[in-house]
Amino acid sequence: MSVTSTATGESSQSRRNAQDVSPGLAVGSICAVILAVIYLFGERDHALVTQAVVSGLLLGGVYALISVGLTLIFGVLGIVNFAQGAMLTMAMYLVYALSTAGLPVYLATIAAVPLMFVFGMIVQSTLLTKLTISGSHEGPLLVTLGLSLLITNVLLMIFGGRPKSVQAPVEGAVSILGAVASWPRVLAFIGAAIVVVALKLVLERTPLGLSIRAVASNSDGAKLVGVDIGRVYALTFGIGAACVAVAGGLMTPFTSLTPTVGEQFTILAFVIVVLGGLGSVVGAMVGGLVIGLVQTVGAIYLPGTGSLILVFAVFILVLFLRPQGLYGARR
């Protein structure tokens, strides 16, 4: 390779890195300015605002993990997975069943990950492969919607409608910048961050990640160079299911379980994915943190479901100013 081509490659890589960083810096700067205004002129107790900020970031980390699976499935398969919330609920009940059998909740989460991974692969291989390879758009939507209804009703039949809970394995709380955060929420954020970073490294630095990115970019071209499209589709859906398994297990100690608990996260996950950019893992991370902050800080002024108004207002504003999302490619 010549010096010129090497320099050109390094230059293009630098430009890509700058493009990856700039939206995050812009969003971070805007959030910092808004928070400064709230602290100075918001007429709310500073300790209350700090508590909301810390809670929002911790919550946003889990939101990001739920959304990463959704955006990965869309980026590769072109499928909007309406069963994502139901799969999250399924993972939570799986962790609940394993923990009630005597397995500690975090070990139960580790055990649930391969089970949900295999479940995702089976769903893709048996129900969606022909539809995705043929390029059908309506079929996968209806299949995932039907799968969502099936999972919800099976869980209702097995576990009933009464709320269930799992005992947190770690009690107590930790002080962060003067705010109080329970250990299960802190551990959920740390676990979500580790999984998201690991997934990004896998996508960027492994042969599997190269195959996934190739199929996401051009499935026909990837097939011509020998990539098994069906296998990549199945693995991608499995990875998406594994992500919600981790998220569900980490959330179980501080979430009341009902067969419809995942529905409240489905809409937020779609908002985060579109906000961050369809198919972008980094966008899902940034979008999750932003939505978490907007929801908790906004609840100070608009309690109850009022904070969702701000969430959708931010969503619409971003789509108006940047239709492809923060990290999405312009089409």
Side-chain angles (χ1 to χ4, degrees):
M1 182 181 291
S2 66
V3 175
T4 303
S5 62
T6 302
T8 302
E10 292 177 350
S11 176
S12 62
Q13 180 65 40
S14 299
R15 286 195 298 270
R16 285 195 296 269
N17 291 339
Q19 290 172 353
D20 284 345
V21 171
S22 56
L25 288 177
V27 172
S29 301
I30 293 172
C31 290
V33 171
I34 293 174
L35 289 176
V37 171
I38 291 175
Y39 272 106
L40 294 175
F41 308 106
E43 298 182 351
R44 292 294 188 275
D45 183 71
H46 289 180
L48 179 62
V49 177
T50 302
Q51 182 67 52
V53 170
V54 171
S55 299
L57 290 175
L58 296 178
L59 182 63
V62 180
Y63 282 172
L65 183 56
I66 298 171
S67 304
V68 160
L70 186 64
T71 197
L72 184 64
I73 291 171
F74 178 86
V76 178
L77 280 71
I79 294 175
V80 179
N81 181 21
F82 281 110
Q84 192 79 355
M87 290 165 59
L88 175 68
T89 308
M90 178 180 173
M92 296 174 78
Y93 271 101
L94 185 57
V95 171
Y96 166 79
L98 292 173
S99 62
T100 53
L103 202 61
V105 64
Y106 293 127
L107 288 180
T109 300
I110 295 174
V113 170
L115 296 176
M116 289 299 297
F117 176 79
V118 172
F119 173 79
M121 289 191 65
I122 292 174
V123 168
Q124 171 60 32
S125 300
T126 58
L127 300 178
L128 297 171
T129 293
K130 291 183 178 180
L131 295 173
T132 51
I133 291 179
S134 66
S136 172
H137 297 289
E138 297 82 3
L141 291 178
L142 296 175
V143 169
T144 56
L145 180 60
L147 179 63
S148 174
L149 296 174
L150 176 63
I151 292 173
T152 299
N153 284 279
V154 169
L155 291 175
L156 181 62
M157 181 178 63
I158 295 174
F159 295 99
R162 288 189 175 183
K164 301 183 184 301
S165 61
V166 174
Q167 180 66 34
V170 182
E171 301 292 342
V174 60
S175 178
I176 303 175
L177 301 176
V180 177
S182 64
W183 272 114
R185 291 182 179 272
V186 174
L187 293 175
F189 177 85
I190 294 173
I194 291 173
V195 171
V196 171
V197 172
L199 179 60
K200 182 169 174 56
L201 291 176
V202 167
L203 292 175
E204 293 181 349
R205 302 186 181 182
T206 66
L208 172 61
L210 178 62
S211 298
I212 291 175
R213 288 186 288 117
V215 173
S217 178
N218 188 329
S219 59
D220 293 333
K223 187 175 182 179
L224 289 175
V225 298
V227 177
D228 188 340
I229 304 297
R231 176 175 175 271
V232 171
Y233 283 166
L235 287 173
T236 301
F237 206 96
I239 292 172
C243 286
V244 295
V246 178
L250 293 174
M251 293 169 58
T252 300
F254 55 86
T255 304
S256 179
L257 302 186
T258 63
T260 58
V261 66
E263 293 180 0
Q264 61 182 307
F265 298 102
T266 301
I267 296 177
L268 287 176
F270 282 124
V271 170
I272 291 167
V273 167
V274 178
L275 177 63
L278 294 169
S280 172
V281 173
V282 176
M285 294 168 59
V286 174
L289 294 175
V290 169
I291 294 302
L293 278 175
V294 170
Q295 190 174 7
T296 55
V297 176
I300 298 176
Y301 298 94
L302 295 173
T305 58
S307 59
L308 290 177
I309 297 175
L310 293 178
V311 169
F312 291 115
V314 171
F315 173 64
I316 293 172
L317 180 62
V318 170
L319 285 182
F320 178 75
L321 298 175
R322 191 177 173 87
Q324 71 272 30
L326 296 175
Y327 290 87
R330 189 178 295 276
R331 299 180 182 274

